[in-house]
Amino acid sequence: MKLWITRPLPDTVIEAARAVCDIEVRQETLPLSGDELRRALTEFDVVLPTLGDAFSADVFRDVPHSRCKLLANFGVGYNHIDVAAAQACGVAVSNTPGAVTEATADIGMMLILMSARRAAEGERMVRAGAWPGWHPTQMLGLHVTGKRVGIAGMGRIGQAIARRCHFGFGMDVAYVSRSEKVLNFPARRMPTLKELAASVDVLVVAVPGGTETRHLIDAEVLAAMQSHAHLVNIARGDVVDEVALIAALEARRIGGAGLDVYENEPVVPEALRALDNVTLLPHLGTAALEVREAMGMMAVENVAAFLQGNPLPNAV
Ligand code: NAP
């Protein structure tokens, strides 16, 4: 059995993978090319892909008799894989839920604070040697403690952010979700996303990416937000209509935004980079060694289960 790991991963993960089967580790850090995606399905029994490895319907169509029978994705988000097309070709898909939750929620909370309190803008000013010194009306931001946060996508990460907001910062929590939630903190379920957007000081996006959620945060939702409110996106870039967001930020129709993800990563539009009222992080959600190790171990557990003929612990 041959496993292809499509990026360099922490040593502990590589060792764990080597203990379960023959492995080849691709050393490049960019996503698989079209040829490599097809090679993945023809030359390996299992592939451990990640963000950006675009296993689209076209790729499966080109390799109808896939040798690969499992895509053990490194990451909870798998919108880069057409799961229906994979399954139609007999290729199972697994992911790494849970391992990423707290770290991504930390980045969500950090973006709430950075955007509301103008941290990136202030840091740039200090680095530029342009700080004139403290004075009472300088760089006034939005006070976060006690404000109201809205969560779009009250899943694992959405709840972890809400918990931080409620227990750490005394915030009111409101949310929208498709299914009923049992929560261990007070939170108000709103009937629509627009009503949620209109009622909060900070709107946080935590839904999965993909066709169903593409541009869920569009010009109308942004227009519904209060002029002092901030948008935070730790989900996937295409959940937010980036052009509409740039227009809202340029016109100062919202207070600001904190982004960890972008529509066409790693391209971040010049118009966005030129704005002071947006905080831009390079997709840092899970970027901590122990988190990447936990994600890798979870992916390897799925590979091991597959090789032993056992049910996948994290099938999607
Ligand atoms: P999760 O537990 O599945 O939560 C996602 C939530 O979104 C669920 O509660 C879900 O159902 C809701 N949802 C799904 N489709 C929706 C739709 N069409 N409209 C409205 N709500 C919808 O997933 P998670 O572990 O929290 O992860 C969420 C996403 O975060 C991942 O898919 C990934 O893309 C992203 N992520 C980003 C980073 C990063 O580095 N920035 C790291 C990890 C994950 P209900 O509506 O029924 O509640």
Side-chain angles (χ1 to χ4, degrees), residues 76-79 97-98 100-101 104 152-158 176-179 181 206-209 212-213 216 234-236 260-261 283-286:
V76 67
Y78 51 85
N79 55 308
V100 302
T101 301
T104 310
M154 196 59 129
R156 287 173 292 256
I157 296 170
V176 284
S177 69
R178 301 167 308 173
S179 57
K181 302 283 164 214
V207 295
E212 264 186 58
T213 56
L216 187 72
I234 53 76
R236 283 291 180 263
D260 192 38
V261 288
H283 204 140
L284 288 181
T286 61

Side-chain angles (χ1 to χ4, degrees), residues 2-5 22-24 36 39-47 66-69:
K2 265 179 86 178
L3 165 67
W4 198 21
I5 298 176
D22 276 353
I23 65 169
E24 184 176 319
E36 287 175 313
R39 179 176 175 235
L41 298 183
T42 48
E43 292 185 19
F44 297 89
D45 301 287
V46 183
V47 176
S66 176
R67 170 175 166 182
C68 172
K69 295 290 180 234

